[in-house]
Amino acid sequence: MCGIVGLVGHKDAVNKIIDGLKKLEYRGYDSAGMALVEQNSGELCVIKTAGKIANLEHEAHSKYKGAAEAGIGHTRWATHGKPTKENAHPHATELVALVHNGIIENYADLRKSLLAQGISLNSNTDTEVVMQMISLLLSKGVAPLEAVQRTVSSIRGTYAFGIVFKQHPEMIIGARKGSPLAIGVNADGKLSLGSDAVALSGFANQVAYLEDGDIAQLYTNGSLNILDKDGNKAARPWQPISKDQSIPDKKGYEHFMLKEIFEQPSTIADTLIHYIGRPSNKTVNIHPSGISWDQTNHITIIACGTSYYAGLVAKYWFEKYARIPVEVDVASEYRYRTPPVHEKSVGIFISQSGETADTLAALRYIRNLGHTCVTIVNIPTSTLAREANVVLPTFAGLEISVASTKAFTAQMAVLAYMLIEALKMRNDADLSFELAKEFLTVDALILNALDTMQGLTQLAKKLSETKDVLYLGRGVLYPIAMEGALKMKELSYIHAEGYAAGEMKHGPIALIDKGMSVIALCPYDKEGLFHKIVSNICEAKARGAQISILTCKKGRLLLEEAELKCPIYLYPDATQLTAPLIYSIPMQFLAYLTALNRGVDIDQPRNLAKSVTVE
Ligand code: AGP
């Protein structure tokens, strides 16, 4: 989503801000801009362009002639107003320029009040309203810090601001509430401002995260003044920026997504090594999570998008093996339905970015009711990680492609570890041992599944010409069917739905004709779901659907015996615990290959953001 970079006291601010914005491209954006106070002219210069950073870079190089030591840059993901140059940030008058991440909820009232005072507005954004309020106060002689303090006290919503002032080229101001904002410092004591540590990784080696309500003044001479929400001086702890927080390269792959798909055997192995020891003598050593499983009789799992599907898989696991009831909900619904939380419930919040606004709000809701909040998160320095009681990192490494792949399988690996730990602590050591042994084979099975990419190219070619795809699954593969459909939608822009196969005849079957492609996730299983889904496949086939079946060797044998003549794609033998991870691989490949055929932007699909920091 939107990204912020701000610099003070750094030489060559223009190029450095552009470098910082390029690091933020992975978050998803539709326009970009920057503002600097030029040293020679003393003017506030603002440049913004719709589309890619390359457009901004081109224009910046032709426009900025003088040096500047303080500046701010922004990548915008449109919320209020179309993704045009006018609506791009920074918004500026001749006195001040401001960039913003977040949403100002009372902007309509504030806008009215500005119009009544004779201020004209040039964009449709909520952000310009804030900038105009600050500018109005500055024009009346109010000092920058006070102008920002007075303005933020009258806004409702979420924000991270970066602000430069024409009359104070030696300073930028940052302020945050709801949306993350960090301050960086390099070895020479030069300061920077960024929406995350990735933005700062090129020009800082330490980072400090601002807290809600903080306002920070950053000076070219390296001094830093932070005031907390009550206006008192505050210090925020510095921590080193790790190598994991800098953008990796594609290592020869055409897209980050493909690289990240192929990294999964090693990312899963890294996750497993951290959490589960090698089982021997009927015991398994497990990393202690700090969760009191013996005191837990309910689990609430909250997440969004792909992370939500990881939570749904865990519901099947925990209910079947640990007999603990699990409620799973999407964060945007959960946070507003003021649900009662079971007395002995543990809250689990799953997120790749750790910055998803709705998931964070749900965590705060459950934490305020006094429950233990656990986060499964890929960015251990994120806001969710800072606010949870227990942090279980996924060790997937920075995920750059907007479509989540390796973070998703790593989330499921952490959930499987939690199940194994819960069983051990709840006196079911034998089952815990058996499941640990079984799950520790999953990285090797994923490696085998990765060999199937070539075999899916023809199917992907067909899918790229289709209008609708229906993914069918049952049990633990029902969430994976939904994940497959989500991947297909976000990458190829083809309409796709994931359905519980048994539910198909309660509605979606009406859509089936020869134009409908159906992908059935159909491994042979001890639980008997294989035979059930085969019946559902027959129902779809009878109505002309183009069916493709993903199964294992035994499944293929049975399908051949039943003379169900559909293309079959073979995957390694799987259990309830390993199947969701193994069958995620073809879901990822099919979406990737279909998108490749359609020539779309695979790593940054239209309209999507990697880190969804607004609700
Ligand atoms: C995944 O491919 C999606 N881009 C999206 O659904 C994502 O999983 C969702 O926005 C949640 O993000 P989070 O894991 O960072 O909280």
Side-chain angles (χ1 to χ4, degrees), residues 5 266 353 371 381 515 537:
V5 182
S266 71
S353 63
H371 294 270
T381 51
I537 293 170

Side-chain angles (χ1 to χ4, degrees), residues 304-307 351-353 356 402-404 486-487 490 610 612:
C304 301
T306 291
S307 300
S351 175
Q352 186 288 128
S353 63
T356 305
V402 166
S404 189
L486 178 70
K487 281 281 147 313
E490 60 179 350
K610 184 72 184 158
V612 183

Side-chain angles (χ1 to χ4, degrees), residues 593-609:
L593 293 167
T594 306
L596 198 64
N597 284 327
R598 288 166 68 92
V600 295
D601 187 346
I602 288 184
D603 284 333
Q604 288 166 29
R606 69 184 180 200
N607 305 337
L608 292 179

Side-chain angles (χ1 to χ4, degrees), residues 282 284 420 429-439 577:
K282 284 269 167 208
V284 54
I420 290 163
D430 288 349
L431 184 56
S432 168
F433 173 80
E434 286 309 320
L435 293 184
K437 238 176 48 186
E438 182 182 309
F439 196 65
L577 218 52

Side-chain angles (χ1 to χ4, degrees), residues 39-353:
Q39 271 168 353
N40 299 344
S41 64
E43 290 304 313
L44 191 57
C45 299
V46 178
I47 296 182
K48 19 198 220 178
T49 51
K52 295 290 177 193
I53 307 272
N55 303 343
L56 181 74
E57 186 171 16
H58 180 73
E59 200 148 327
H61 286 146
S62 61
K63 282 207 177 152
Y64 286 119
K65 301 290 178 232
E69 290 206 339
I72 48 172
H74 191 258
T75 49
R76 174 175 187 251
W77 185 87
T79 58
H80 294 63
K82 290 186 175 159
T84 59
K85 177 176 173 178
E86 291 67 39
N87 290 335
H89 301 198
H91 290 281
T93 61
E94 57 183 24
L95 294 176
V96 62
L98 173 145
V99 295
H100 169 218
N101 290 358
I103 291 180
I104 307 301
E105 288 170 3
N106 58 338
Y107 91 104
D109 292 344
L110 300 171
R111 191 180 171 93
K112 256 189 232 152
S113 148
L114 283 169
L115 292 172
Q117 293 174 73
I119 306 291
S120 54
L121 293 146
N122 306 311
S123 74
N124 315 110
T125 64
D126 51 341
T127 305
E128 189 193 351
V129 171
V130 179
M131 183 281 297
Q132 291 286 2
M133 289 167 71
I134 295 172
S135 182
L136 190 61
L137 290 167
L138 294 172
S139 70
K140 291 176 181 165
V142 177
L145 178 62
E146 190 186 336
V148 174
Q149 283 174 317
R150 281 167 60 178
T151 302
V152 296
S153 71
S154 56
I155 61 184
R156 204 178 61 233
T158 56
Y159 58 78
F161 294 129
I163 316 168
V164 282
F165 304 86
K166 177 183 172 180
Q167 278 150 356
H168 295 273
E170 77 291 358
M171 172 191 72
I172 60 175
I173 286 185
R176 77 153 282 204
K177 190 176 152 228
S179 303
L181 195 62
I183 293 174
V185 66
N186 69 10
D188 301 329
K190 301 290 182 201
L191 296 167
S192 46
L193 189 69
S195 42
D196 63 20
V198 174
L200 298 172
S201 59
F203 21 75
N205 49 18
Q206 290 193 80
V207 64
Y209 292 91
L210 293 180
E211 291 187 5
D212 264 356
D214 281 356
I215 299 180
Q217 292 169 288
L218 292 71
Y219 291 91
T220 47
N221 67 4
S223 59
L224 172 65
N225 176 36
I226 302 177
L227 299 179
D228 68 14
K229 61 179 184 336
D230 303 315
N232 299 318
K233 260 190 170 303
R236 302 297 170 218
W238 292 105
Q239 42 188 284
I241 296 184
S242 71
K243 278 214 180 85
D244 305 352
Q245 286 162 316
S246 48
I247 301 278
D249 70 26
K250 285 190 197 146
K251 294 208 174 123
Y253 285 96
E254 201 177 340
H255 298 98
F256 277 112
M257 182 181 178
L258 195 60
K259 169 178 170 272
E260 288 161 3
I261 291 174
F262 277 96
E263 278 172 351
Q264 288 174 106
S266 71
T267 53
I268 294 296
D270 288 348
T271 309
L272 295 180
I273 284 167
H274 182 81
Y275 289 110
I276 311 174
R278 287 276 145 206
S280 64
N281 298 331
K282 284 269 167 208
T283 59
V284 54
N285 283 327
I286 296 179
H287 170 88
S289 67
I291 303 165
S292 308
W293 289 114
D294 45 352
Q295 308 287 312
T296 303
N297 63 11
H298 184 268
I299 299 172
T300 309
I301 302 183
I302 308 297
C304 301
T306 291
S307 300
Y308 165 70
Y309 297 135
L312 278 181
V313 168
K315 177 180 171 68
Y316 285 89
W317 287 343
F318 272 93
E319 292 188 341
K320 178 182 169 71
Y321 295 113
R323 311 302 298 156
I324 305 176
V326 181
E327 175 189 6
V328 191
D329 204 352
V330 287
S332 54
E333 284 303 311
Y334 186 85
R335 65 178 290 191
Y336 288 115
R337 65 181 169 86
T338 51
V341 181
H342 288 245
E343 207 189 317
K344 288 184 180 171
S345 192
V346 162
I348 302 177
F349 304 84
I350 310 171
S351 175
Q352 186 288 128
S353 63

